[in-house]
Amino acid sequence: MAKIKSTLDIQLDLTRPIEELTEVISAVIASQPARRKEILKGLDIAIGDALAEIQAQEEKEQKVDDDSSGKVS
């Protein structure tokens, strides 16, 4: 039985993460033009969640720094 896969083999230069990821996203969108909006919305949500997690961690670290320096929050 034939096995058909639609795959994209990727090698990224991790010294250029933004450029490399942008190229990958562009390639995926080009292969799925009808799902472009869905793909970008999904990425937007995933990126927003990651940024919110980073922000929460930074705020937590800032609170610890403020508490340890004797400042009142």
Side-chain angles (χ1 to χ4, degrees), residues 4-68:
I4 302 170
K5 293 183 180 181
S6 183
T7 61
L8 181 62
D9 291 322
I10 301 167
Q11 290 185 353
L12 296 176
D13 177 354
L14 295 177
T15 65
R16 303 175 53 240
I18 296 168
E19 297 88 350
E20 297 285 289
L21 288 170
T22 300
E23 287 182 31
V24 171
I25 292 166
S26 294
V28 171
I29 290 171
S31 75
Q32 300 285 322
R35 296 182 61 203
R36 180 177 174 222
K37 188 173 182 179
E38 174 190 353
I39 294 165
L40 291 173
K41 280 185 172 184
L43 285 170
D44 186 44
I45 291 167
I47 290 167
D49 290 348
L51 287 170
E53 185 178 316
I54 291 167
Q55 181 68 34
Q57 182 62 37
E58 287 173 347
E59 289 172 1
K60 181 179 176 183
E61 290 171 1
Q62 183 63 44
K63 183 172 179 359
V64 169
D65 290 345
D66 289 349
D67 290 347
S68 66

